[in-house]
Amino acid sequence: FERRLSGGFSTLVAYTFSESITFQPSPAVGGNYAFERALTGFDVPHNFDVSFTYELPFGKGRRFANSNGFADKVIGGWQLQALYQGQSGAPIGFGNVILTGGYDQLNLPTPSVQQWFNTANFERRAAFQLDQNLRAFPLRLSNIRADGINVWDMSVLKNFQVHEKLKVQLRGEAEGATNTPNFSGPNVGPASTIFGQVNSTQTGQEERRILVGLKLIF
């Protein structure tokens, strides 16, 4: 959906629903391989993006304070911009694990970084971890996913018309403006002491970054 600039406002909204499937070789007894139909590691069912630009209605040529005077220089030429990205998490790929119970029992009502999924029915003892066998556990499960992406980038701009052919633009930008953490996937090694826990965040998505810049346009 696109709304072109009208009344100082424009927006672009995009939503994608998808599924990514692969036929991937899975180790079997005797070093042989069997192909398994499974979700890819980058399967993302939902992807939602929205961006908008709003030119504040103040200053020369605008609804309010329409003049070339002092008011135009102070409150005119301001522009707000925002970009939001919301995305489902990727399916978690487990190793060659032993699970007693149904896959639906892995979901927790409220996952947390201390326990992202139910680890109770996994074989945790190191001596019983599988090496070579006919694998039965799926490569990935659609109902157990890592954290998705939830990011707001925002900026405010002020344009100064210095000369007919020269404009100065002051920019203030906040990447990850809401400072919302986007976690990495949980530990999937049953013999690990942190099995099922999340101990890191996605690179470049975890912190707020504020930038201020000056641009000359001629």
Side-chain angles (χ1 to χ4, degrees), residues 12 33 45 49 82 87 97 102 106 118 132 134 144 152 171 192-193 195 197 199-201 206 213-215:
L12 181 64
Y33 285 83
D49 297 282
Q87 183 175 292
V97 299
L106 298 177
N118 183 13
Q132 292 189 11
L134 185 61
I144 303 295
W152 275 100
R171 301 176 62 94
S192 172
T193 57
F195 178 55
Q197 298 180 26
N199 59 1
S200 63
T201 54
E206 67 275 14
L214 195 65
K215 179 188 291 187

Side-chain angles (χ1 to χ4, degrees), residues 15-197:
Y15 170 73
T16 303
F17 175 72
S18 64
E19 184 178 42
S20 178
I21 297 175
T22 183
F23 286 88
Q24 185 170 336
S26 180
V29 177
N32 297 318
Y33 285 83
F35 281 87
E36 178 182 351
R37 183 180 185 272
L39 295 173
T40 66
F42 51 84
D43 174 68
V44 177
H46 306 283
N47 193 335
F48 178 72
D49 297 282
V50 58
S51 62
F52 72 83
T53 299
Y54 181 51
E55 298 176 351
L56 298 185
F58 304 105
K60 183 181 178 181
R62 304 298 177 188
R63 183 177 179 183
F64 304 105
N66 184 5
S67 69
N68 290 320
F70 179 75
D72 175 60
K73 292 180 172 56
V74 175
I75 64 176
W78 288 96
Q79 187 179 94
L80 303 178
Q81 294 180 344
L83 172 64
Y84 173 76
Q85 182 181 11
Q87 183 175 292
S88 303
I92 295 174
F94 287 89
N96 197 7
V97 299
I98 299 175
L99 175 71
T100 57
Y103 302 139
D104 57 338
Q105 297 176 12
L106 298 177
N107 293 92
L108 294 174
T110 54
S112 67
V113 293
Q114 287 77 28
Q115 189 173 15
W116 198 257
F117 54 86
N118 183 13
T119 61
N121 295 329
F122 286 90
E123 174 56 64
R124 301 286 306 277
R125 293 171 292 181
F128 289 88
Q129 298 306 302
L130 298 174
D131 183 14
Q132 292 189 11
N133 68 294
L134 185 61
R135 176 171 176 151
F137 196 88
L139 290 172
R140 299 175 189 87
L141 298 174
S142 62
N143 61 316
I144 303 295
R145 294 179 175 269
D147 194 21
I149 295 177
N150 179 24
V151 177
W152 275 100
D153 295 332
M154 300 180 180
S155 63
V156 56
L157 293 73
K158 164 65 173 171
N159 294 308
F160 300 90
Q161 194 72 45
V162 179
H163 188 266
E164 182 181 353
K165 297 182 178 181
L166 178 63
K167 183 165 65 174
V168 176
Q169 185 181 85
L170 177 64
R171 301 176 62 94
E173 302 178 0
E175 298 178 354
T178 58
N179 212 31
T180 303
N182 295 283
F183 298 109
S184 299
N187 183 288
V188 292
S192 172
T193 57
I194 59 171
F195 178 55
Q197 298 180 26

